[in-house]
Amino acid sequence: MLLLLSGCQNSTSKQKLYQQQLFSFGTLIDISILSNNEPLALKAFDTLSADFDLWHHDWHPWNPGPLSRTNQLLALQEPFSSAPSILPLIEQARQLSVKTDGLFNPAIGQLVRLWQFDQLENEQHTFTLPAARNIKAMLEASPTMGDIIIDGIQLHTNNPAVFLDFGAFAKGVALDRAMKKLKNLGIKNALINAGGDLKVAGKNNGRAWRIGVKSPQAAQPQLAAARQQLSVIAVIELHDGESLFTSGDYERFFEIDGTRYHHIIDPRTGYPAAQSHSVTVLAKDAGLADAASTALFIAGPEGWQKIARQLELAYVMLIAADNTVYLSQAMSERIQFLGDNKIVIKDIE
Ligand code: ADP
Ligand code: MG
């Protein structure tokens, strides 16, 4: 949904742009580093490549690794020592879940699996609608982050329906950590773009990082190629340490009989949330921005302001199912629309 707009530069003190792509968290990750130290930039790419592999392995809900092991142990309903790579995520996710009134609920991994969103990459898989009784059973079991009891490093739950899936959150945590790594290596100016979710550091050769926000319709594969130029609906500048995350109904979905079922599940109904096309959140903390974009998407045009307030967000854009664009006051002062979209500005203070 987002792309980097390059600015023209004439300054002689211009830093060189180094770019590398890697594949992690099911998406291409573009790393851009501005530096005059080539060995350092190359070292940074190697470091981040290894880190992303590790985070992806550690935080995968069902491939063998620490999180899938955590899920197996939680199911036994006995206390166990948490893996060090998992505990901080559980703690942060728990707080975010409370502040989103449970709309961001990473404990609903079994529900996500009922919808077969673990099969989107499997071309052999034939998607079917989950049986209503299975969804009902998950709603009755009502797994929440509050069902995980934390005692020091010991974890346990009495709710066997708890199954952790950090799909709405882990990419954000990874971007926060990756940027911190770059900073520690001495890199001041960088952009990491994980399939449209991104975080920046410093500046783009003396200027703010300029990001193009694409329309959710243009992001549909059949339209994207032809409308590449027309598809940027707005431009926004990002400053040091800011992150921009989007949750949309157009990126991960399957279709049955012409109806689209996307991957953002309303924990109150057990079905894909229907009120929004996309939500974009700008915040410093990428983990927060990631979880928030998912929660506000579910909250929809009626409920997003309350959740945004609870999360202390300032910058939100929600494109509703009817294509009305809702902007927080602060977002409206920063984002520049290029077309004549129907825009409604709301206060979340
Ligand atoms: P993306 O992965 O495209 O960035 P999101 O950040 O919105 O999109 O995350 C969606 C993923 O989060 C789903 O694939 C699923 O694994 C998980 N998920 C779905 N619904 C919820 C929910 N209500 N709360 C927490 N995680 C969810
Ligand atoms: Mg998210």
Side-chain angles (χ1 to χ4, degrees):
M1 159 116 183
L2 303 146
L3 90 177
L4 174 63
L5 303 175
S6 52
C8 55
Q9 296 295 327
N10 299 314
S11 150
T12 45
S13 62
K14 195 176 153 185
Q15 286 189 308
K16 229 175 127 182
L17 174 65
Y18 295 92
Q19 284 183 299
Q20 195 173 71
Q21 282 196 331
L22 49 98
F23 191 80
S24 191
F25 291 97
T27 186
L28 270 181
I29 303 193
D30 279 292
I31 305 170
S32 304
I33 290 174
L34 287 162
S35 173
N36 288 324
N37 184 340
E38 183 159 324
L40 180 63
L42 299 181
K43 182 180 168 197
F45 289 141
D46 282 351
T47 307
L48 290 195
S49 174
D51 281 348
F52 273 104
D53 282 350
L54 190 73
W55 295 324
H56 187 228
H57 168 260
D58 281 1
W59 301 336
H60 203 287
W62 45 79
N63 288 351
L67 185 59
S68 70
R69 183 77 186 132
T70 303
N71 280 326
Q72 289 168 353
L73 292 170
L74 284 169
L76 300 178
Q77 300 181 64
E78 297 282 344
F80 61 97
S81 298
S82 174
S85 58
I86 302 302
L87 190 55
L89 265 75
I90 293 180
E91 285 172 333
Q92 198 188 344
R94 226 155 75 130
Q95 292 177 13
L96 290 167
S97 196
V98 170
K99 289 183 181 173
T100 61
D101 295 347
L103 296 183
F104 167 68
N105 181 359
I108 60 166
Q110 288 189 14
L111 195 52
V112 173
R113 285 198 94 173
L114 262 188
W115 281 98
Q116 310 136 73
F117 288 115
D118 53 332
Q119 297 295 329
L120 283 177
E121 270 79 37
N122 178 1
E123 284 173 16
Q124 314 298 323
H125 184 76
T126 307
F127 285 93
T128 50
L129 282 186
R133 66 172 184 286
N134 291 341
I135 292 183
K136 192 162 165 262
M138 281 313 302
L139 294 186
E140 281 167 8
S142 179
T144 67
M145 292 307 286
D147 291 331
I148 300 178
I149 299 140
I150 307 176
D151 179 9
I153 63 159
Q154 297 280 105
L155 301 178
H156 86 275
T157 184
N158 298 319
N159 186 345
V162 168
F163 186 102
L164 294 171
D165 173 341
F166 290 127
F169 175 54
K171 212 196 301 167
V173 178
L175 289 203
D176 280 330
R177 296 209 185 165
M179 252 335 165
K180 204 166 165 195
K181 252 317 172 28
L182 290 184
K183 210 171 189 171
N184 290 343
L185 284 167
I187 288 161
K188 294 193 177 67
N189 302 300
L191 178 144
I192 307 178
N193 180 353
D197 293 328
L198 48 94
K199 185 169 179 84
V200 307
K203 295 194 166 201
N204 182 6
N205 268 316
R207 298 174 180 212
W209 293 98
R210 247 169 104 73
I211 308 296
V213 179
K214 289 196 205 167
S215 103
Q217 283 96 339
Q220 289 173 27
Q222 63 273 34
L223 298 176
R227 293 177 46 191
Q228 212 34 266
Q229 292 308 313
L230 297 173
S231 65
V232 174
I233 53 166
V235 173
I236 188 160
E237 290 188 348
L238 294 193
H239 305 297
D240 187 30
E242 288 184 332
S243 318
L244 194 66
F245 271 69
T246 299
S247 287
D249 65 359
Y250 48 83
E251 265 168 288
R252 293 178 68 77
F253 61 87
F254 59 84
E255 279 174 330
I256 298 177
D257 297 336
T259 304
R260 180 183 296 192
Y261 299 93
H262 65 77
H263 69 144
I264 303 170
I265 308 295
D266 186 335
R268 299 166 299 189
T269 64
Y271 284 80
Q275 309 301 318
S276 312
H277 271 320
S278 76
V279 169
T280 301
V281 171
L282 188 162
K284 286 227 158 182
D285 185 316
L288 163 66
D290 195 355
S293 67
T294 306
L296 297 183
F297 183 101
I298 299 164
E302 304 292 324
W304 68 274
Q305 290 163 271
K306 174 176 188 274
I307 307 296
R309 210 173 294 128
Q310 289 168 191
L311 289 168
E312 296 177 53
L313 298 174
Y315 304 103
V316 178
M317 172 174 86
L318 182 148
I319 303 183
D322 69 359
N323 289 316
T324 304
V325 179
Y326 292 86
L327 298 176
S328 64
Q329 181 65 41
M331 187 63 128
S332 75
E333 287 161 17
R334 272 187 75 165
I335 197 165
Q336 215 186 317
F337 273 82
L338 308 175
D340 53 357
N341 303 74
K342 180 175 179 230
I343 295 176
V344 179
I345 298 172
K346 299 269 184 179
D347 221 337
I348 52 176
E349 295 305 309

